[in-house]
Coordinates of all heavy atoms in Angstrom, one line a residue:
Chain A
T239 N -31.2 -11.6 -27.0 CA -32.5 -12.2 -27.1 C -33.5 -11.0 -27.5 O -33.1 -9.9 -27.8 CB -32.9 -12.7 -25.7 OG1 -32.9 -11.5 -24.8 CG2 -32.0 -13.7 -25.3
I240 N -34.8 -11.5 -27.7 CA -35.8 -10.5 -27.9 C -36.9 -10.6 -26.8 O -37.5 -11.6 -26.7 CB -36.4 -10.7 -29.3 CG1 -35.3 -10.4 -30.4 CG2 -37.6 -9.6 -29.5 CD1 -35.9 -10.6 -31.7
P241 N -37.0 -9.6 -26.1 CA -36.3 -8.3 -26.1 C -34.8 -8.5 -25.5 O -34.6 -9.4 -24.7 CB -37.1 -7.4 -25.1 CG -37.8 -8.4 -24.1 CD -38.0 -9.6 -24.9
P242 N -33.9 -7.6 -25.9 CA -32.5 -7.7 -25.4 C -32.4 -7.6 -23.9 O -33.1 -7.0 -23.2 CB -31.9 -6.6 -26.1 CG -33.0 -5.7 -26.5 CD -34.2 -6.3 -26.7
Q243 N -31.3 -8.4 -23.4 CA -31.0 -8.3 -22.0 C -29.6 -7.8 -21.9 O -28.8 -8.3 -22.6 CB -31.1 -9.7 -21.4 CG -32.5 -10.2 -21.1 CD -32.5 -11.3 -20.2 OE1 -31.5 -11.6 -19.6 NE2 -33.6 -12.0 -20.1
V244 N -29.4 -6.9 -20.9 CA -28.0 -6.6 -20.6 C -27.7 -6.8 -19.1 O -28.5 -6.2 -18.3 CB -27.8 -5.0 -21.0 CG1 -26.3 -4.7 -20.8 CG2 -28.1 -4.8 -22.4
E245 N -26.7 -7.4 -18.8 CA -26.4 -7.7 -17.4 C -25.1 -7.1 -17.0 O -24.1 -7.2 -17.7 CB -26.4 -9.3 -17.2 CG -26.6 -9.6 -15.8 CD -26.6 -11.2 -15.7 OE1 -25.7 -11.9 -16.0 OE2 -27.8 -11.6 -15.4
Y246 N -25.2 -6.5 -15.9 CA -23.9 -5.8 -15.3 C -23.5 -6.5 -14.1 O -24.3 -7.0 -13.3 CB -24.3 -4.4 -14.9 CG -24.5 -3.4 -16.1 CD1 -25.9 -3.4 -16.5 CD2 -23.6 -2.8 -16.8 CE1 -26.2 -2.6 -17.6 CE2 -23.9 -2.0 -17.8 CZ -25.2 -1.9 -18.3 OH -25.5 -1.1 -19.3
G247 N -22.1 -6.7 -14.1 CA -21.6 -7.4 -12.8 C -20.2 -6.7 -12.5 O -19.7 -6.1 -13.3
L248 N -19.9 -6.9 -11.2 CA -18.6 -6.4 -10.7 C -17.4 -7.2 -11.4 O -17.4 -8.4 -11.4 CB -18.5 -6.3 -9.3 CG -19.4 -5.3 -8.6 CD1 -19.2 -5.5 -7.0 CD2 -19.2 -3.8 -9.0
T249 N -16.4 -6.5 -11.8 CA -15.1 -7.2 -12.1 C -14.4 -7.4 -10.7 O -14.9 -7.0 -9.7 CB -14.2 -6.3 -13.0 OG1 -14.0 -5.1 -12.2 CG2 -14.9 -6.0 -14.3
E250 N -13.2 -8.0 -10.8 CA -12.4 -8.2 -9.6 C -12.0 -6.8 -9.0 O -12.0 -6.6 -7.8 CB -11.2 -9.0 -9.9 CG -10.6 -9.6 -8.7 CD -9.7 -10.8 -9.0 OE1 -10.0 -11.5 -10.0 OE2 -8.8 -10.9 -8.2
L251 N -11.8 -5.8 -10.0 CA -11.3 -4.5 -9.5 C -12.5 -3.9 -8.9 O -12.4 -3.3 -7.8 CB -11.0 -3.7 -10.8 CG -10.5 -2.3 -10.5 CD1 -9.1 -2.4 -9.6 CD2 -10.2 -1.5 -11.8
G252 N -13.7 -3.9 -9.5 CA -14.8 -3.4 -8.8 C -15.2 -4.0 -7.5 O -15.5 -3.3 -6.6
R253 N -15.1 -5.4 -7.4 CA -15.3 -6.0 -6.1 C -14.3 -5.5 -5.0 O -14.7 -5.4 -3.9 CB -15.3 -7.5 -6.4 CG -15.7 -8.3 -5.2 CD -16.1 -9.7 -5.7 NE -17.1 -9.8 -6.6 CZ -18.4 -9.8 -6.3 NH1 -18.7 -9.6 -5.1 NH2 -19.4 -9.7 -7.2
S254 N -13.1 -5.4 -5.5 CA -12.1 -4.9 -4.5 C -12.4 -3.5 -4.0 O -12.1 -3.2 -2.9 CB -10.7 -5.0 -5.2 OG -10.0 -3.8 -5.3

Side-chain angles (χ1 to χ4, degrees):
Chain A
T239 58
I240 297 180
Q243 284 196 12
V244 182
E245 199 171 70
Y246 294 89
L248 290 179
T249 60
E250 197 161 327
L251 183 63
R253 191 163 295 278
S254 119

